[in-house]
Amino acid sequence: MLQPLIYDIGEPGRVGVNLPKCDVPKVELPAALMRAELALPEVGEVQVVRHFVKLSKLNYSIDQGLYPLGSCTMKYNPKINEDAARLPGFAQLHPLTDECGSQGALFLMHELQTWLGEISGFDAVSLTPAAGAQGEFAGILMIRQYHIDRGEGQRDLILVPNSAHGTNPATVTMAGMRVHELPSNNQGNVDMDALQVACAGELRDRIAGMMITVPSTLGLFESTIVDVIATVQDAGGLMYMDGANMNALMGVVKPGELGFDVMHYNLHKTFSTPHGGGGPGSGAVGVNAKLAPYLPGPIVAIVEEGNADASEGGRHDMSPLQDARTDDEDVGATNLAARAPLYGFVMPEKSIGRLKAFHGNFGMHLRAYAYIRVYGDSGIRDVTRYAVLNANYLRAKLMKSYKAPYPRYCGHEFVLEGHFADVNDVHALDISKRLMDYGFHPPTNYFPLIVPEALLIEPTETETKADLDEFVAAMEAIAEEARDDPELLRQAPHTAPVRRLDEVRAAKELVLCCAPARPA
């Protein structure tokens, strides 16, 4: 039985808050800003709290169960990350605080830049991009400016495989360049013949670079990636790696050592900072030495070297600008000798400029820092190992009931076809909607576009074998239902708060209030 909405249980005179006695002169509110009537219920505090708790329970979250979205997975966010981000010295630090008053924050950002560079094999990192797509944009702008500075402004083509993230071609267009699409072969790799034709033919002098996702959105590691990189660079282009799937590589493969020139990281995926609902995100970008001068700024640098003694153990004294003079010259000299490095913001020499107000989404930097600090180098490697193991376990189990278009070992995710040769009119959407009745969030639907009725599944490293087995059992049961009672799938979900919606119409005609429509 549905519980009554808060709009139906209000009664005149009920009060949910006790306001203090007014201690300022009362004035009339501007009539132009007043509405004649607001249909707000008069309710008590208990009713208000219950109302919003009920609404919160209607939302599925990673704290409730498996979230198998491929490509942009909702990874579990360790609670220690949230504790770190809420420390008063960070959470209450004003963004306009000068460098003298923000040395702790600057130190943390500098460390994070260094760690991300180490994990990926790049020489320099900027934390300023506010999302993965903005990190992509920064990468392509750097590539474009690099060629312009070399007198090769005619290089305006970016090669993009058809297995790329959808943001890749959009990024190229926004940067004022043109996309040249490359097909995939029957193994899911970039078609090397098509690549060689593009790089050796009349397009050669126009190639600015290539954007490629590794592993690809098919969940596959490009087995010919070294040859791909060499082919593009021999034609004078630069290699951009979409690092959204870096959680299948970190601690195992360094893209910079493979030969990539630039890559963005999704801190809001690989390093567990919150993701979903439109943000916030963080798309830090790493580059090799040739592109380092073009990084978006500002970036954090050591502007005054400290003393090694100050770095032992606690790393730094939080007041590096103080002279620490005392009446005792010996004590003062000792403090000065142990002075920590001074951190500050700098703009790279040929920077493409700012991409965001202030210095990026600092709360995301805190969470990523905590995540990396807790795991350490060996733990980061284990994250990758378990992400890949979990995905391959699911893939092997589900290939018995669903078609895998590329039956190879996968990275952190894999794609299935969400239809059955012996069942008419059952689609990936029907399977996903029915999965909701089993208590699971659906996987990504209809992406990548090159797979018919695609179901892109990523379990992440945090799910146990028991969790995965429950998901497999649900998917297998749905495959049986598709043959025994296909209408059950077509009408799903049956247990959700609302039934199947016209999703296109819902996106266009937003209903931003939970109050039911009243008859005229």
Side-chain angles (χ1 to χ4, degrees):
M1 178 179 177
L2 291 177
Q3 297 295 317
L5 290 168
I6 195 169
Y7 299 88
D8 299 321
I9 62 176
E11 290 187 9
R14 285 184 176 170
V15 178
V17 60
N18 292 321
L19 297 175
K21 184 178 179 180
C22 184
D23 60 356
V24 296
K26 294 183 179 180
V27 297
E28 291 293 325
L29 295 173
L33 300 180
M34 299 297 292
R35 284 176 280 185
E37 181 181 351
L38 287 176
L40 296 177
E42 295 181 53
V43 291
E45 180 179 323
V46 172
Q47 285 73 41
V48 172
V49 171
R50 287 175 180 169
H51 170 71
F52 284 104
V53 169
K54 287 173 185 174
L55 288 182
S56 72
K57 289 181 178 179
L58 299 181
N59 287 326
Y60 189 90
S61 73
I62 190 65
D63 289 339
Q64 293 172 275
L66 178 64
Y67 220 108
L69 282 173
S71 187
C72 290
T73 297
M74 182 74 79
K75 178 182 282 199
Y76 175 73
N77 309 138
K79 303 314 176 204
I80 192 173
N81 296 8
E82 302 306 308
D83 291 341
R86 286 167 173 75
L87 289 171
F90 292 135
Q92 297 175 21
L93 184 66
H94 195 283
L96 291 178
T97 302
D98 61 22
E99 293 174 358
C100 176
S102 54
Q103 284 296 296
L106 293 175
F107 162 77
L108 184 145
M109 294 174 69
H110 186 267
E111 286 286 274
L112 183 58
Q113 289 173 187
T114 302
W115 291 349
L116 292 176
E118 172 63 23
I119 289 169
S120 60
F122 285 112
D123 297 303
V125 172
S126 172
L127 301 176
T128 59
Q134 198 175 56
E136 290 181 23
F137 188 54
I140 298 304
L141 288 182
M142 285 188 279
I143 289 174
R144 185 184 70 171
Q145 193 59 46
Y146 173 82
H147 289 304
I148 290 173
D149 285 355
R150 289 167 55 87
E152 295 187 294
Q154 85 285 354
R155 291 188 177 272
D156 63 346
L157 288 183
I158 298 291
L159 308 175
V160 180
N162 63 2
S163 62
H165 279 125
T167 50
N168 291 177
T171 292
V172 172
T173 301
M174 285 186 64
M177 305 183 82
R178 300 174 66 85
V179 175
H180 182 81
E181 184 177 303
L182 295 172
S184 299
N185 61 24
N186 59 8
Q187 295 296 310
N189 293 319
V190 171
D191 188 314
M192 284 300 298
D193 291 338
L195 176 63
Q196 289 167 353
V197 168
C199 290
E202 60 184 17
L203 300 179
R204 181 180 179 88
D205 292 338
R206 290 182 55 197
I207 292 174
M210 180 178 187
M211 296 186 81
I212 188 170
T213 308
V214 183
S216 69
T217 53
L218 298 169
L220 304 174
F221 187 87
E222 295 280 343
S223 58
T224 57
I225 190 61
V226 174
D227 294 332
V228 169
I229 292 171
T231 301
V232 173
Q233 291 177 342
D234 285 347
L238 299 182
M239 286 298 299
Y240 179 95
M241 180 177 140
D242 184 320
N245 296 338
M246 187 65 187
N247 55 320
L249 302 179
M250 60 180 181
V252 178
V253 176
K254 295 186 177 185
E257 294 181 357
L258 288 177
F260 281 100
D261 298 288
V262 53
M263 180 190 89
H264 87 269
Y265 315 74
N266 278 0
L267 298 190
H268 53 276
K269 178 188 177 182
T270 303
F271 300 102
S272 85
T273 68
H275 181 209
S282 184
V285 60
V287 295
N288 58 17
K290 72 172 69 171
L291 289 181
Y294 298 94
L295 277 172
I299 62 175
V300 181
I302 296 176
V303 296
E304 184 176 319
E305 292 293 342
N307 182 286
D309 294 339
S311 299
E312 288 186 19
R315 179 69 182 239
H316 65 298
D317 151 12
M318 293 297 291
S319 304
L321 293 181
Q322 296 179 5
D323 285 343
R325 294 191 181 96
T326 71
D327 293 335
D328 184 335
E329 292 184 3
D330 291 337
V331 174
T334 300
N335 287 343
L336 283 171
R339 185 171 170 176
L342 176 64
Y343 299 91
F345 286 117
V346 300
M347 288 296 288
E349 178 187 359
K350 300 179 180 180
S351 175
I352 59 171
R354 282 183 174 268
L355 293 176
K356 187 182 185 300
F358 303 114
H359 317 300
N361 284 331
F362 180 61
M364 303 300 101
H365 305 160
L366 286 165
R367 292 170 171 90
Y369 175 91
Y371 184 81
I372 298 172
R373 184 67 180 264
V374 166
Y375 273 114
D377 53 0
S378 62
I380 287 293
R381 179 181 175 87
D382 285 340
V383 166
T384 295
R385 292 173 59 239
Y386 283 109
V388 173
L389 176 63
N390 282 357
N392 277 283
Y393 179 76
L394 278 187
R395 180 190 61 84
K397 288 283 190 179
L398 292 176
M399 280 176 60
K400 301 171 185 176
S401 304
Y402 296 83
K403 180 181 178 182
Y406 302 100
R408 296 168 44 189
Y409 288 118
C410 63
H412 63 303
E413 64 186 353
F414 62 99
V415 63
L416 299 174
E417 293 187 15
H419 62 142
F420 306 96
D422 55 342
V423 181
N424 292 325
D425 203 25
V426 167
H427 303 282
L429 184 63
D430 302 319
I431 294 169
S432 291
K433 295 294 186 183
R434 180 59 177 154
L435 194 58
M436 295 167 65
D437 291 331
Y438 284 87
F440 291 101
H441 194 284
T444 299
N445 275 207
Y446 302 116
F447 183 77
L449 301 177
I450 60 175
V451 175
E453 299 290 338
L455 292 171
L456 186 58
I457 299 171
E458 179 179 351
T460 78
E461 75 284 351
T462 50
E463 301 299 335
T464 66
K465 181 176 179 295
D467 296 330
L468 302 181
D469 287 338
E470 286 185 16
F471 181 74
V472 169
M475 290 289 286
E476 290 177 340
I478 292 170
E480 292 179 9
E481 291 171 347
R483 294 175 175 84
D484 298 338
D485 188 1
E487 192 62 21
L488 185 67
L489 274 65
R490 289 192 284 266
Q491 295 299 319
H494 301 278
T495 60
V498 294
R499 301 294 292 275
R500 193 176 301 203
L501 304 175
D502 180 339
E503 296 179 359
V504 174
R505 182 182 173 194
K508 293 180 178 179
E509 300 177 18
L510 300 178
V511 178
L512 301 180
C513 179
C514 63
R518 305 295 186 187

